[in-house]
Amino acid sequence: MTRPATTPSLRRALRREVPSTVGLLADAHDFTAMRRYATFPFDDHPVYLRQVEALLKTLSTQGGHTTVTLFDPEEYAQYCEDTGIDPDHPASRSRYTAELAAEGPRVTYTGQPMTDLVPTLVDTAARRATREYATTLLTDTGDCAACGQDIGRAAFDQASRLLMRLLDAAGPGTHHLVCSVPAADEQLLAALQTTRDDERPLTLDPDQGAEFVTVLAVGIALESPGGVVLRTMNPGARDRLHGWRLTRGDLIPLTEAEVFSAYCTDAHTGEPLSPEPHVEYRAGFALAPEDNDWPTHP
């Protein structure tokens, strides 16, 4: 005969159904900003990080789903002002964290150490901010005065086509791509990694793909002097580096010397850098021609 479940066991089972969210103060600057609140109990950032890690491990042992999100003190203060709640109260921090996790950057905790979790969370937040800013820039381009076309939408479609043409021409291997586009006072960067072989179709991480295409589209729409670099890795072979400049809505191959110069020159000082070992610096390769060229939008 099956024994009836006890109240504690039922409560533990129910606890596994409840998701948990932890708001993390990733750097010392944000941590210091939170110390203005009397109800914030910590005064040492490394100790705080160790306590958060211990909490995450405890939550993990309980079997539920745990999400970590980046806690921003400035945004939190504005949130409390907008909602009329007291910022110096744990319930307010909890409410902000819950809403942030629903819409903001977040990482699922799977037992990774803080030395991995913190950089991943910061990178996730940075990539999301880049995508949102790039999307705003595309939206603000408006319609073409000559043809009435939505410039941002058309640029996004063209960027999508360029990415697929590039990956089709890259062949088998693990490909790491970086797109760099100057926009206003900010340098937009987006990275994408994917693997292609003869046995399975090409697949892209949806978030990385959307971010990469959006940043590339900004360069197309604004006719910025951006560029794309590709690093291809295959087992037992040297890595290959290729590069292209973005010109009038297309990717124009760089020469081998230009690729070498781009990788082996310090961007801040202009001083030469040593080439990476086991790396071949190659010219960008031509992409398959396209029927519909990107038009010039006045």
Side-chain angles (χ1 to χ4, degrees):
M1 184 175 67
T2 303
R3 298 179 59 185
T6 63
T7 298
S9 64
L10 289 173
R11 190 176 297 118
R12 285 192 296 270
L14 182 60
R15 178 65 187 86
R16 289 192 291 269
E17 305 290 332
V18 179
S20 300
T21 302
V22 176
L24 179 66
L25 296 162
D27 61 53
H29 179 269
D30 287 344
F31 177 83
T32 300
M34 288 303 294
R35 292 189 61 197
R36 78 184 78 168
Y37 303 118
T39 57
F40 185 71
F42 296 96
D43 57 13
D44 184 89
H45 190 231
V47 170
Y48 161 80
L49 290 177
R50 289 196 294 270
Q51 292 298 320
V52 170
E53 185 169 28
L55 171 62
L56 291 172
K57 290 179 178 179
T58 299
L59 293 172
S60 179
T61 61
Q62 295 174 354
H65 179 81
T66 302
T67 300
V68 184
T69 187
L70 203 61
F71 196 103
D72 187 312
E74 292 185 7
E75 291 184 2
Y76 169 66
Q78 186 62 53
Y79 171 83
C80 291
E81 182 178 336
D82 293 341
T83 55
I85 61 177
D86 179 10
D88 197 2
H89 198 285
S92 300
R93 294 193 287 272
S94 177
R95 175 176 166 182
Y96 168 74
T97 299
E99 295 196 18
L100 179 65
E103 301 178 358
R106 55 197 178 274
V107 171
T108 299
Y109 179 71
T110 58
Q112 61 270 51
M114 294 297 283
T115 51
D116 293 336
L117 179 62
V118 172
T120 300
L121 184 57
V122 171
D123 179 67
T124 300
R127 290 192 292 106
R128 183 185 180 95
T130 295
R131 181 177 173 183
E132 290 176 350
Y133 177 56
T135 299
T136 299
L137 291 176
L138 286 179
T139 302
D140 290 345
T141 56
D143 297 335
C144 177
C147 66
Q149 189 177 34
D150 183 326
I151 297 175
R153 179 72 259 177
F156 189 90
D157 292 342
Q158 174 69 359
S160 300
R161 292 191 293 268
L162 283 176
L163 174 59
M164 297 314 299
R165 288 164 61 197
L166 180 56
L167 291 175
D168 284 343
T174 296
H175 305 297
H176 182 78
L177 298 96
V178 177
C179 178
S180 175
V181 170
D185 298 326
E186 187 170 341
Q187 188 77 16
L188 299 179
L189 290 172
L192 170 67
Q193 182 159 311
T194 186
T195 299
R196 179 181 177 185
D197 57 38
D198 297 331
E199 299 179 356
R200 54 183 174 180
L202 177 71
T203 58
L204 298 178
D205 178 276
D207 291 333
Q208 289 186 5
E211 179 193 351
F212 189 94
V213 169
T214 303
V215 169
L216 181 58
V218 168
I220 294 172
L222 301 182
E223 298 188 352
S224 298
V228 172
V229 292
L230 166 68
R231 185 180 193 126
T232 296
M233 296 154 280
N234 281 299
R238 301 175 73 183
D239 290 0
R240 303 191 309 273
L241 298 176
H242 304 268
W244 295 260
R245 67 169 55 89
L246 183 60
T247 303
R248 300 178 70 85
D250 205 355
L251 291 175
I252 307 303
L254 297 177
T255 65
E256 182 177 316
E258 288 173 324
V259 173
F260 182 89
S261 177
Y263 272 93
C264 300
T265 303
D266 189 297
H268 299 290
T269 66
E271 295 295 320
L273 300 173
S274 299
E276 289 187 59
H278 310 297
V279 171
E280 296 179 358
Y281 298 87
R282 297 186 178 183
F285 44 80
L287 306 185
E290 189 178 34
D291 294 335
N292 298 316
D293 293 330
W294 171 254
T296 299
H297 293 275

